[in-house]
């Protein structure tokens, strides 16, 4: 069983091009090829022809039982109406989490303007994923994307689970400490590379992840995610295969943690891990 907790259906090459259906088909094909059972697609902080809204993403994936949506929230432009409009999707499970994009937008996660977002996440018991580290565009502002900023919100909102996306890359140690210290903070390994890992970079990243686990980050707090189509799903699976960790830890990272955190009904996927579901909170 594999859950990819971090994919997109955005057209990064041309935002003017209508892409939803095509991207979704490409995602399904990529999942079949790589035996990925479930993917979460994260919608953007902006809506363009090439970046579908949460509503469009929910509509397009409604009949798929292996794809769920995480709703991107724009710090700059979201309104209470926007938050209320995704509430029914959180209730029916088509949206499994919320995503913020500090760095891409100029804000710190602890900004009080986001309190209603965290209140909604606490109420609906869904995690908040937070972009951290390097930005895809040089126009991003890195100080907002530092993983240490997640510590503030994690402490102030103990009833919300947070995911530091991309291991805080390249601030791995800071990410490590924030995940280690806060029981409500997780991290995903997505988006560490554009396309495929080179051998050198792969062994460098193996070392970072290994160091994190050695330092005391529990394997229960690390999630498999690729950031497809930015990163190659196949290359990511090879990366995980070559990581030297016990099979039980691998299993946690590959799907158990994500199933628990996003409350993904893995039983419906035909896998007999009922005991896992009973542990869901
Ligand atoms: Zn991403």
């Amino acid at each position: 069983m594999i859950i990819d907790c971090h994919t997109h259906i955005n057209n990064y090459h041309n935002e003017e091009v209508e892409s939803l259906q095509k991207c979704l088909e490409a995602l399904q094909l990529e999942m079949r090829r790589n035996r990925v059972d479930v993917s979460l697609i994260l919608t953007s902080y902006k809506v363009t022809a090439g970046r579908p809204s949460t509503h469009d993403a929910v509509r397009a994936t409604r009949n798929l039982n292996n794809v769920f949506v995480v709703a991107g929230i724009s710090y700059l432009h979201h309104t209470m109406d926007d938050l209320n409009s995704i509430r029914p999707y959180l209730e029916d499970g088509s949206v499994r989490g919320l995503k913020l994009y500090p760095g891409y937008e100029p804000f710190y996660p602890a900004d009080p303007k986001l309190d209603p977002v965290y209140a909604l996440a606490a109420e609906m018991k869904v995690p908040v994923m937070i972009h951290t580290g390097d930005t895809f565009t040089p126009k991003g502002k890195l100080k907002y994307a530092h993983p240490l900023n997640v510590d503030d919100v994690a402490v102030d909102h103990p009833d919300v689970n947070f995911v530091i996306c991309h291991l805080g890359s390249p601030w791995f140690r800071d990410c490590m400490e924030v995940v280690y210290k806060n029981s409500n903070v997780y991290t995903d390994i997505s988006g560490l590379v554009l396309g495929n890992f080179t051998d050198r970079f792969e062994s460098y990243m193996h070392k970072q992840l290994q160091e994190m686990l050695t330092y005391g980050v529990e394997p229960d707090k690390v999630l498999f995610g690729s950031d497809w189509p930015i990163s190659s799903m196949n290359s990511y699976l090879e990366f995980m295969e070559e990581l030297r960790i016990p099979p039980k830890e691998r299993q946690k990272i590959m799907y158990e943690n994500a199933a628990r955190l996003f409350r993904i009904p893995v039983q419906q996927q035909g896998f007999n891990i009922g005991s896992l579901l009973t542990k869901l909170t």
Side-chain angles (χ1 to χ4, degrees):
M1 177 94 188
I2 301 172
I3 297 177
D4 187 333
C5 80
H6 193 135
T7 72
H8 299 281
I9 46 168
N10 302 327
N11 188 330
Y12 291 102
H13 302 297
N14 188 351
E15 292 191 15
E16 307 306 314
V17 172
E18 201 83 50
S19 65
L20 206 168
Q21 216 43 49
K22 263 195 172 165
C23 277
L24 207 50
E25 278 162 25
L27 172 65
Q28 295 270 330
L29 180 64
E30 198 69 4
M31 287 169 69
R32 276 199 301 277
R33 275 189 187 146
N34 293 292
R35 301 206 169 97
V36 170
D37 300 280
V38 177
S39 284
L40 295 176
I41 52 176
L42 282 43
T43 57
S44 182
Y45 58 98
K46 60 180 176 182
V47 178
T48 62
R51 292 181 183 235
S53 68
T54 295
H55 304 283
D56 289 340
V58 165
R59 254 194 299 276
T61 56
R62 190 156 271 159
N63 297 319
L64 305 173
N65 70 350
N66 61 348
V67 177
F68 301 100
V69 176
V70 170
I73 309 281
S74 166
Y75 165 81
L76 291 176
H77 306 296
H78 82 273
T79 63
M80 271 319 280
D81 283 350
D82 292 332
L83 293 185
N84 286 328
S85 73
I86 57 171
R87 184 178 279 273
Y89 304 146
L90 291 164
E91 279 162 359
D92 71 18
S94 41
V95 170
R96 301 270 159 171
L98 307 175
K99 167 94 189 272
L100 296 169
Y101 291 85
Y104 287 99
E105 293 187 307
F107 70 96
Y108 291 107
D111 192 300
K113 188 182 173 184
L114 294 169
D115 284 349
V117 174
Y118 301 132
L120 182 64
E123 185 197 336
M124 304 307 294
K125 296 190 168 59
V126 293
V128 178
M129 300 179 79
I130 300 187
H131 170 83
T132 66
D134 186 39
T135 52
F136 189 59
T137 156
K139 288 190 176 145
K141 291 184 175 168
L142 292 174
K143 67 175 177 183
Y144 298 111
H146 198 287
L148 200 54
N149 300 331
V150 178
D151 185 54
D152 272 33
V153 271
V155 171
D156 292 345
H157 300 275
D159 47 354
V160 177
N161 286 318
F162 294 91
V163 179
I164 296 181
C165 297
H166 319 305
L167 297 177
S169 175
W171 296 296
F172 304 109
R173 289 208 159 178
D174 304 76
C175 168
M176 182 165 98
E177 170 57 17
V178 178
V179 177
Y180 169 76
K181 172 183 156 270
N182 298 293
S183 63
N184 57 336
V185 180
Y186 296 71
T187 185
D188 83 32
I189 66 165
S190 73
L192 299 170
V193 70
L194 296 178
N196 296 312
F197 284 95
T198 59
D199 287 348
R200 267 182 85 189
F201 191 66
E202 187 174 73
S203 61
Y204 171 75
M205 283 314 310
H206 278 152
K207 227 179 113 204
Q208 302 305 320
L209 196 49
Q210 214 83 57
E211 186 175 283
M212 237 180 233
L213 295 166
T214 308
Y215 180 77
V217 166
E218 293 166 36
D220 307 70
K221 309 284 281 302
V222 180
L223 308 166
F224 175 75
S226 63
D227 215 8
W228 183 90
I230 294 169
S231 308
S232 149
M233 230 179 236
N234 182 258
S235 193
Y236 251 85
L237 288 168
E238 281 175 9
F239 170 82
M240 281 306 296
E241 258 163 45
E242 282 160 30
L243 185 69
R244 268 175 268 144
I245 50 170
K248 276 201 169 159
E249 293 191 6
R250 183 186 310 277
Q251 204 165 301
K252 286 179 176 182
I253 296 173
M254 294 312 289
Y255 74 93
E256 286 185 2
N257 300 336
R260 194 174 64 245
L261 188 62
F262 294 95
R263 295 189 292 164
I264 291 169
V266 279
Q267 269 174 330
Q268 278 176 22
Q269 310 298 325
F271 294 88
N272 183 22
I273 48 168
S275 57
L276 179 70
L277 286 170
T278 58
K279 282 188 238 153
L280 298 178
T281 47

